[in-house]
Amino acid sequence: MSISLQVLYPINPDTTFDQEYYKGTHMKLVRDHLGAFMVSAQASKGLAGGPDAPPAFYAIATMIFENQEKFDQAMAAAGPVLADIPNYTNTKPQMLIGEVLD
């Protein structure tokens, strides 16, 4: 069974998020440190929360792993990726680890 990791960056009144750093530097770190374990990865910039609603998240990243073992290996290698978070945001990321259903 494939495993997904979604990282959500919530927007709050007192938070900031550097989209250019996230796109150009952080996502490269993700590929460099976790890429060998992932099937795919993508990040989306929040534009809206629905019709006429502001986005609730700055960005959401989705990574897919072939199985639990690959996910565990990726998490063991994720130290530099996690350490980079304060370089582009002061919001507290939320994570969802799940089983891919399709």
Side-chain angles (χ1 to χ4, degrees), residues 9-16 55-58 90-92 94:
Y9 297 92
I11 296 173
N12 293 301
D14 59 342
T15 58
T16 60
F57 300 97
Y58 292 108
N90 64 348
T91 196
K92 184 177 179 184
Q94 299 174 5

Side-chain angles (χ1 to χ4, degrees), residues 26-100:
H26 185 73
M27 290 308 293
K28 182 180 181 327
L29 281 174
V30 170
R31 289 188 300 276
D32 289 349
H33 292 277
L34 308 182
F37 310 108
M38 295 186 304
V39 173
S40 65
Q42 73 175 45
S44 299
K45 177 181 176 181
L47 298 178
D52 302 319
F57 300 97
Y58 292 108
I60 298 175
T62 302
M63 292 155 269
I64 306 295
F65 303 89
E66 182 180 350
N67 53 42
Q68 185 68 48
E69 179 182 0
K70 294 289 187 183
F71 173 78
D72 292 342
Q73 292 170 332
M75 292 304 96
V81 176
L82 297 173
D84 187 54
I85 293 170
N87 292 326
Y88 61 90
T89 190
N90 64 348
T91 196
K92 184 177 179 184
Q94 299 174 5
M95 292 189 200
L96 174 65
I97 300 165
E99 177 181 335
V100 177

